[in-house]
């Protein structure tokens, strides 16, 4: 059975490069901005292994049936439907039919969400599949032409539209308590204030050169917080731990090197990994593909 795109996804589908029935993955990055990536993907055959990233992933299925396992349950996303994945939540991705599937997606840095919300807790969407009738057509426009450059106004507009969708569908609207997979509990309106400026200094220290492994003492010195507060509040503020944040920034660097034609071993060394095998393990855990398959998918 072939699933066709509904009317509200047809405009997007016209821009999706057809992956046809060729087995494998096809990935194409569009224009992005600081804290924002836009990606077009199609998949036939082998799926994405279980992985997790430290950004929000907000995407729309354009062709086929996207099937994935999320928070212990199988999910199905049909053409015209959206999926929202929270930072650090493990998930996979396979085609629900032999025809494969295609989608476009926005990866949004949690720090942008924090800025838009003025320091409120990161919204959590418990049900990751958003039906067509509940989606925001304005956000679809941000995926219609992913090659269109994002200036500062466009970056702000996209962020606000995405945050509006996150807040609208957040389980915090309907529940006084929610539990995330990392074991934290958020009670709306009842929380210790986050030391966002101090935490941002830790975040910037890591991001400025992710090849450097900083000590907890350095985090304490630059933030003025004790190490336990840094560890607890960093995850609440940015959706992941300082250690995982550093690994993801190393992988960002590795991806740029790979896209620039640097061999795997060289990319691993320049990105600060112990060796190529170490980079490959971390890469697959973050993106569901090995670096070699990811690079081939770009071609």
């Amino acid at each position: 059975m072939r699933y066709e795109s509904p009317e509200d996804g047809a405009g997007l589908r016209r821009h999706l490069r057809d992956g046809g029935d060729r087995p494998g993955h096809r990935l194409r990055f569009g224009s992005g901005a600081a804290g924002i990536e836009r990606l077009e993907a199609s998949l036939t055959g082998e799926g994405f292994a279980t992985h997790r990233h430290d950004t929000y992933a907000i995407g729309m299925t354009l062709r086929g049936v996207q099937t994935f396992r999320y928070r212990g349950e199988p999910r199905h996303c049909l053409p015209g439907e959206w999926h929202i994945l929270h930072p650090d939540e493990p998930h996979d991705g396979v085609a629900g039919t032999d025809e494969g599937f295609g989608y476009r997606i926005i990866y949004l840095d949690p720090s942008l969400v924090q800025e838009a919300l003025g320091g409120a807790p990161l919204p959590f969407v418990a049900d990751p599949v958003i039906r067509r009738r509940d989606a925001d057509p304005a956000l679809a426009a941000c995926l219609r032409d992913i090659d269109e450059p994002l200036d500062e106004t466009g970056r702000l507009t996209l962020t606000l539209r995405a945050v509006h969708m996150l807040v609208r569908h957040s389980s915090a609207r309907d529940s006084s308590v929610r539990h995330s997979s990392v074991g934290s509990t958020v009670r709306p309106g009842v929380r210790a204030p986050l030391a966002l400026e101090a935490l941002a200094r830790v975040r910037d220290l890591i991001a400025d050169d992710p090849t450097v492994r900083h000590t907890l003492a350095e985090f304490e010195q630059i933030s003025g917080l004790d190490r336990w507060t840094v560890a607890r509040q960093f995850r609440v503020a940015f959706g992941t731990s300082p250690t995982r944040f550093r690994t993801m920034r190393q992988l960002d660097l590795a991806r740029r090197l790979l896209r620039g034609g640097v061999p795997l071993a060289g990319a691993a060394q320049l990105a600060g990994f112990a060796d190529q095998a170490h980079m490959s393990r971390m890469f697959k855990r973050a993106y569901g593909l090995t670096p070699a398959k990811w690079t081939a998918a770009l071609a």
Side-chain angles (χ1 to χ4, degrees):
M1 180 177 182
R2 181 178 295 275
Y3 288 85
E4 296 295 340
S5 294
E7 183 177 352
D8 62 357
L12 274 172
R13 188 172 186 269
R14 284 196 295 270
H15 293 275
L16 179 67
R17 294 184 180 182
D18 187 10
D21 295 322
R22 295 173 297 170
H25 309 84
R26 303 288 183 271
L27 305 175
R28 186 173 72 85
F29 285 91
S31 176
I36 296 172
E37 281 188 339
R38 291 184 292 180
L39 174 70
E40 172 185 291
S42 61
L43 180 151
T44 303
E46 182 184 0
F48 295 105
T50 300
H51 60 286
R52 58 192 176 103
H53 28 71
D54 68 339
T55 62
Y56 281 99
I58 306 172
M60 182 181 184
T61 301
L62 304 178
R63 175 177 60 82
V65 181
Q66 185 174 183
T67 301
F68 58 99
R69 194 163 188 84
Y70 186 76
R71 293 176 65 79
E73 296 183 26
R75 312 283 184 165
H76 306 282
C77 194
L78 305 180
E81 295 180 339
W82 289 76
H83 63 279
I84 297 176
L85 308 177
H86 195 272
D88 257 9
E89 287 287 350
H91 58 280
D92 55 12
V94 297
T97 70
D98 293 339
E99 296 151 356
F101 67 93
Y103 64 94
R104 283 190 174 181
I105 194 165
I106 298 163
Y107 294 104
L108 186 65
D109 191 321
S111 66
L112 291 180
V113 179
Q114 279 283 355
E115 290 179 24
L117 294 176
L122 293 175
F124 185 85
V125 180
D127 185 349
V129 178
I130 307 301
R131 308 304 174 190
R132 280 191 296 148
R133 64 180 180 273
D134 298 321
D136 181 5
L139 189 58
C142 299
L143 287 175
R144 186 161 290 115
D145 187 357
I146 62 173
D147 297 314
E148 184 71 22
L150 279 176
D151 58 15
E152 278 301 306
T153 301
R155 176 176 179 263
L156 179 65
T157 299
L158 187 154
T159 299
L160 290 175
R161 287 174 176 169
V163 170
H164 177 267
M165 189 171 185
L166 292 173
V167 172
R168 179 184 175 194
H169 296 285
S170 171
S171 58
R173 295 187 310 128
D174 306 311
S175 174
S176 60
V177 179
R178 64 97 173 155
H179 297 271
S180 78
S181 65
V182 297
S184 61
T185 301
V186 175
R187 296 179 182 273
V190 182
R191 65 184 180 93
L194 296 176
L196 287 176
E197 290 187 12
L199 296 169
R201 291 195 292 272
V202 175
R203 186 179 187 277
D204 292 344
L205 177 67
I206 299 170
D208 284 346
D209 188 355
T211 65
V212 175
R213 185 186 297 275
H214 294 284
T215 65
L216 292 173
E218 289 178 278
F219 293 161
E220 289 179 325
Q221 182 178 13
I222 197 170
S223 68
L225 305 172
D226 67 82
R227 60 191 61 191
W228 302 106
T229 300
V230 170
R232 286 194 304 269
Q233 293 201 7
F234 195 98
R235 182 180 289 279
V236 174
F238 305 124
T240 194
S241 68
T243 299
R244 174 114 179 115
F245 179 79
R246 177 193 173 229
T247 298
M248 294 303 296
R249 301 295 74 75
Q250 287 180 275
L251 290 173
D252 285 344
L253 176 55
R255 288 191 302 159
R256 291 195 296 271
L257 293 167
L258 293 172
R259 291 175 70 179
V262 177
L264 294 177
Q269 181 181 15
L270 292 171
F273 290 100
D275 51 31
Q276 181 179 328
H278 181 211
M279 181 186 75
S280 295
R281 289 194 302 273
M282 297 300 104
F283 201 103
K284 189 171 182 179
R285 291 175 189 176
Y287 308 118
L289 298 173
T290 64
K293 288 186 176 182
W294 184 87
T295 305
L298 293 176

